[in-house]
Amino acid sequence: MFFENVQTAATQVAILYIIVFAGFVCDKGKIFTEKTARKLIDLLLYIMTPCMIVNSFLDMECTAETIKMFFISLGVAFATHFIAIALNLPFFRKKNYTDPVYKYASIYGNVGFMALPLAQAVLGAEGVFYCASGVIAFNIITFTHGVKVMSGDEFKLNFKKLIFNPGVISVIIGLPLFLLKIKLPSVLSQPVDMVGSMTTPTAMLIFGTYLSNTDLKSIFVDKKIYLVALLKLIVLPLLCLGVYRLCGITGTLLAASAITASVPSANNTFMFATKYNKDAFVASKTVALVSFVSIITMPVVIAIAQSM
């Protein structure tokens, strides 16, 4: 069963990375470049991803059990980030140009670009439903603790960014529809479904153009990046799986939690490094290498979760 789960998860990850490779090739061939892809990021973040999240709420039947499971998944999502923060306390403690980048990359995962599309591919609408809570947790914690890690003494709590971001707003829209059992007419639900279904391929194509512009040769010589990969892709998800299984969590929720915990470092690593005058080149290298390694680690972690 374990190896069957590995094969299933690996197949879905491979499908996603084939699309990533297509984006990589398109950038090299100047067909669809990173410059063009950047113009699509807002469309992806503000339209496509919210549609996918809202659609996951529309696809779920509202029962006492699903309501309970959603709020449990929200607690698990916050717990995953708190475990990651605690796990990283002994590491990357210098207040220099690079250690904040490594620390941020070790804690925060690519929830929007990778967790949601992967959950859709492996677990379907129910997986997206649970992973949506991860988007809430990510946005709240990254704009508090994450900003503190990158900016140091410049930290200021920004309640506007905590609430008015695509992930949280889409849950604010979708959750009442789910709780009140409101079914949208097909003239509205079908566009939401169609636009939401564009999220996965668009995100992967954009990610491919991003990797195409990374200096791939230089990423393999930085030893600290390997430590980031070890902490983010192996130690954190396995630790989370052990804790959640001891708490009685099983099934799709456990698998969705494994996906959230095992995704590679967030693209925000590069954006925050740039914004707060840290080493953006190191951030780019870190995200690239951790993303490559995750091709191997994510299927194994997901298979372990599905076998528990």
Side-chain angles (χ1 to χ4, degrees), residues 192-215:
V192 171
D193 181 31
M194 293 171 68
V195 174
S197 66
M198 297 166 61
T199 303
T200 299
T202 303
M204 296 302 101
L205 285 171
I206 291 173
F207 188 54
T209 66
Y210 169 79
L211 290 180
S212 176
N213 288 273
T214 301
D215 184 1

Side-chain angles (χ1 to χ4, degrees), residues 32-51:
F32 179 66
T33 64
E34 183 190 20
K35 184 177 180 180
T36 305
R38 287 178 185 272
K39 297 179 180 180
L40 277 180
I41 289 178
D42 283 347
L43 183 64
L44 176 70
L45 292 179
Y46 291 97
I47 303 296
M48 296 180 190
T49 299
C51 281

Side-chain angles (χ1 to χ4, degrees), residues 52 54 58 66-67 75 84 87 106 135 140 145 164 200 208 234 237 241 264 267 273 285 287 306:
M52 182 171 68
V54 170
L58 296 175
T66 53
I67 293 172
L87 176 64
S106 300
V135 176
I140 290 176
H145 174 269
F164 295 102
T200 299
I234 299 176
L241 279 179
N267 289 348
K285 291 195 300 180
V287 173
Q306 291 177 320

